[in-house]
Structures are given as C-alpha cells and as structure tokens.
Amino acid sequence: MEINIDSLLEKMCNPQEEEAYKYADELAEVGGEETIIKLVELIQGADKECAFLAARALSKMENNQSALEPLLEAIHDKENKNQNGAFVQALEGFDISEKFVDVLRIYLFGNFKASAIAKYYLDYTEFDITPRVIKKAEKHWNHFTNNSKLDEAFELKKAEVEEMLSEMKGMFEEE
C-alpha cells in the first residue's frame, strides 16, 4: 500500500480534523526527504497550527537534521516570538549539540515557555563548545544586558548565564 504524503498533510492541516496529531505522527513514521521538504514548507507557512504540527512531525522523524536550520529560523522569526513554544519544544527531536548559541538566544529572548524549554536544553544537552561559540554567546549576552529591564528576572538570568560562560571559558583556560 502506497502512503500518500499529500493526503496525510491535508488531513493534518485540516482545521476540522480532531485527530491532527495522529496524522503528524503518521507523517513522522513515513519519513524520508520528500516528507521533510513538505513539512519544512509548512513550518515556514502562515498557518501556525499547521506549522506546529509539522514541527512535531519533524521532531519525531529519523534523519531529520536537514530540517533543523529552518526550524531555528522559525523560532527566531520575530513574527513567532510570542507563540514559538511548540517550535522550541520540537527541538528535542534533533541533535542540537552544535547549536548552543541558538539555544542561548532562545533562553534570553524567548517568551516564558520558549525560555523555560531552552533553559532545560542548556542544562541537559552536551554542546560542542569552542572559543568561537563562547565569543558569539558573549555577544548575545551583551546585547541582552544592554536591552533588558534590570529586574528580578534579569538578575536570575544574569547569574545563570555568567556562571555558564565562566565554566565554558574555564574549559579552555585549563588546556
């Protein structure tokens, strides 16, 4: 039996469909480059519910790394800033070990849900850290400190980020 990707996509994106998640999960099982390409197009589309379901499907797919950059672009897109928690959650299905700076940016600049999820990734992902990564992270940290209210939430992030940066720098000072 041939599986019709377009049919599954249509059902997943149908606003009247009560079990859209089921179709997203079926698409993840189908997998393949063609499915990835079509799901990435949906992530970049105007229909946010459909985009979130596409992100869910991509997150559950094998060999999905080609979709990581488009997903990060959607997360960082200013239009999605207040509703990108589902996109950030989808990162759990990807190898983000080389994306420390992106995850730090989400933690610093994301809405409450996105920031909380990013903090979890920062705490529990083993990232590939280089001096260049540290330099980029410091750049975003400086931008954040210069553009934030100096309130209690800022002080909490300040303590966490400065400790992270200090520990990362320490890895290279010991060599």
Side-chain angles (χ1 to χ4, degrees):
M1 184 186 123
E2 187 175 314
I3 297 168
N4 187 336
I5 296 169
D6 291 328
S7 170
L8 290 173
L9 288 167
E10 196 175 309
K11 290 175 183 175
M12 180 185 82
C13 291
N14 180 344
Q16 276 72 51
E17 179 56 61
E18 290 183 16
E19 295 188 1
Y21 286 103
K22 184 177 89 175
Y23 296 108
D25 294 347
E26 280 185 43
L27 282 161
E29 287 178 32
V30 170
E33 198 56 37
E34 179 187 353
T35 307
I36 289 175
I37 291 167
K38 290 182 178 197
L39 290 169
V40 165
E41 286 173 8
L42 293 174
I43 283 179
Q44 298 163 333
D47 182 340
K48 290 300 166 220
E49 287 305 312
C50 193
F52 296 147
L53 288 164
R56 173 192 172 100
L58 286 165
S59 176
K60 294 179 174 219
M61 288 177 73
E62 291 183 21
N63 304 316
N64 61 0
Q65 274 315 99
S66 63
L68 180 56
E69 281 304 320
L71 179 58
L72 287 167
E73 286 171 21
I75 290 168
H76 294 310
D77 186 333
K78 287 184 179 19
E79 282 187 30
N80 297 329
K81 184 179 183 348
N82 294 319
Q83 56 189 7
N84 65 3
F87 287 150
V88 177
Q89 198 165 1
L91 289 174
E92 72 189 2
F94 290 86
D95 174 5
I96 58 171
S97 61
E98 295 182 7
K99 298 298 178 185
F100 176 82
V101 174
D102 283 293
V103 176
L104 179 67
R105 281 177 60 198
I106 297 164
Y107 172 61
L108 294 175
F109 301 106
N111 62 39
F112 182 79
K113 180 179 179 182
S115 184
I117 296 168
K119 177 67 170 106
Y120 177 83
Y121 295 148
L122 289 171
D123 289 343
Y124 297 102
T125 302
E126 194 168 316
F127 290 98
D128 298 333
I129 303 297
T130 64
R132 185 166 184 248
V133 167
I134 296 170
K135 194 175 187 100
K136 285 181 168 183
E138 286 177 319
K139 182 183 133 207
H140 290 292
W141 173 240
N142 290 331
H143 178 73
F144 179 78
T145 58
N146 293 326
N147 295 288
S148 296
K149 287 190 307 200
L150 304 180
D151 58 7
E152 207 173 307
F154 171 82
E155 291 302 323
L156 180 64
K157 280 188 178 175
K158 179 180 178 190
E160 291 171 342
V161 173
E162 288 183 347
E163 181 182 350
M164 261 188 270
L165 292 172
S166 173
E167 287 175 7
M168 290 188 308
K169 286 179 185 174
M171 293 182 339
F172 294 96
E173 291 167 1
E174 294 167 12
E175 292 179 358

